[in-house]
Amino acid sequence: MNLVNIRDVLTSFSPALDYLAISTGDGRIKIWDTVKGQVQTEFADIASTEETNIYTKVAKGHLSVDYTCMKWLSLERKKKRKLGTSVLVLGTGGGDVLALDVASGQLKWRISDCHPGGVNAVSSSARASCIYSGGADGMVCQIDPHSGNLIRKFKASTKAVSSLCVSPDGKILVTASAQLKTFNCSDLKKIQKFTGHPGGVRCVAFTEDGKYVFSSAAGERYIAVWKSDGAKKQSASCVLALEHPPVFVDSWGETNEKGLYVLAISEIGVCYFWYASNVEELCNAKPTKVALATEDSPLKHHKGSLPIIFAAKLQGILKPGSAHAFIASGLLVKPSFQKMVLQFGTDLVLNASKDGILLSIAQVSKSSKGQGVQNRVITLDRAHAEDALLPIARVADLHEKLHSSDKDTDMVDQSQADHEETFSMEDKLRSLGILGGTDEQKNLTYASIIDGTDLEAYLPPKKLKSAVLSMEPSFAFKTLEALVAMWQTRACGGRHLLPWIYSIMVNHSHYIMSQEPKNQQLLNTLLKITKSRGTALQQLLQISGRLQLVTAQINKAAGNQTQTTAHDHEIDESEDEEEDVEEHFYGENDNESDLSSDDGKDKDDSLMEM
């Protein structure tokens, strides 16, 4: 039995809970219809139509896209749901923020390089008046959800912003790194700072009245509760313990009236539910568990991925201690959706479906024994598809084995012939003309031509043009031949050679065209090299994406995530020490001298209008 870790799985329900978006780290986004239980649409290889760079056009393939966060919001509230009113906002590891119009299946807008280093979180209020995004650069961007225009951005932390959340009324924004800070959404002035998490915060949620904030950091087995309308610098009011670190937190209700309802999902797909009339009672409340029945089912000895709970959302209150919840469970390749009533104090064990699980032939025959033949589809998920990627071994048949003794001599001769015909990849590239021959005399000639020129040194365009214009046309042509030969034999990188090649061809074009037939051979070689490199770029990007995916899975299996968390803990331990020196708080003048922050000097807290 394999415990599935869902910390890297991105999920987001639509505002009406009729759709669920799922991304499992392979660059694809599947939209599931929660009513019909089937895939509505799938987004893969999303590219902006405004891109005109030839190199960005080649960067296709879903494995080259790394989605890091998502948020589904409705642009129109208090009205009937219409097509085109729901958008799915996504952040990427490349720093882009984009919105998908799910109804039309098209890209609505994209902001490129919004956060250098990657986008870590996106959030919006219930009314979706604006979108907030945070990234590795410590900045928070405010975005118009209709047009995708960047309204403004400000420095929220000297560390990477790992999570964001907006209060239900849209008045307070909380940002999280190792510390949590609240800002006024109208003027983006800092209100409070919460300290206590040893590492980067993974999930943040407000209560319905916005008076309390729930947060949990990566690797922590508890949820901290903070009072948002108290002192400007404070510790957690209480903590809610779990058996495994949570990846999702949701809340409902209000203090002193409806009571507090908290819902969380752990890394292994177990749902936890708390209820209390106030925070003091919440601290002592024992959580109610909701899990799938896999221990006593036939799936107990299954070696592949097991069904889990990977998405949930509180819908409302039935009575004190009872709440409606919408839960997505099963396998990621075939989820099931159900609405249920959670009663505090009563643990629930849900039936685990076998839909989507790969069964062996023996198990299938046993399950179908004594029953009518049914049409079933067995689906492969990522955990089951590992063996499908292995090469198929060639098995000799009986006829070949019987005659193998009579052909020993022929086999030896054939193996020698095969050995003679085998050649390396370098020889293959040279036979195709992509790589040149190893002529030492030519290499020495080329080296003497460019002797004294530091090709790897950066030259501004004006200085580079001046250096090329100072060359004699004949010497410039010889230099061009040497540069093309060096690029063909990979003696130097293209990023160093191409600026020189471009400048020589532009400024000495008349002389180059007059050199017949040398120029014809030179230009054909240059064209062949350019086409071959451009054609290989797309495959290289796909290979790079697959290698990143495989490396991430290997690191997870080896337990490197624990080492990373420990490393982050060591880095963040010094956060308070180095940040308290430069802190500046917004608020009343009589309290400014008593507080400390990690925002730097006054100029770092100023807004940068875009």
Side-chain angles (χ1 to χ4, degrees), residues 133 201 240 357 375 552:
S133 64
V201 174
L240 308 178
I357 296 180
N375 293 328

Side-chain angles (χ1 to χ4, degrees), residues 53-164:
N53 192 313
I54 59 173
Y55 296 104
T56 57
K57 285 184 178 180
V58 177
K60 295 182 180 180
H62 60 88
L63 291 177
S64 63
V65 183
D66 177 23
Y67 295 113
T68 55
C69 52
M70 68 167 59
K71 175 72 174 180
W72 202 328
L73 55 94
S74 179
L75 300 183
E76 294 180 6
R77 302 294 295 176
K78 298 181 181 180
K79 293 183 179 180
K80 279 191 173 182
R81 180 178 175 272
K82 299 179 181 179
L83 293 177
T85 59
S86 293
V87 293
L88 183 64
V89 182
L90 300 159
T92 69
D96 298 347
V97 179
L98 59 151
L100 302 178
D101 189 338
V102 179
S104 62
Q106 296 179 353
L107 179 66
K108 188 176 181 64
W109 50 260
R110 178 199 293 265
I111 304 178
S112 300
D113 298 327
C114 188
H115 294 279
V119 183
N120 294 333
V122 291
S123 182
S124 69
S125 62
R127 299 177 181 177
S129 57
C130 62
I131 300 170
Y132 295 93
S133 64
D137 55 353
M139 304 293 291
V140 173
C141 296
Q142 187 177 2
I143 305 170
D144 185 294
H146 297 275
S147 61
N149 294 329
L150 186 60
I151 301 174
R152 52 183 174 176
K153 63 191 303 185
F154 69 99
K155 187 76 172 179
S157 175
T158 57
K159 306 294 183 181
V161 176
S162 58
S163 187
L164 288 174

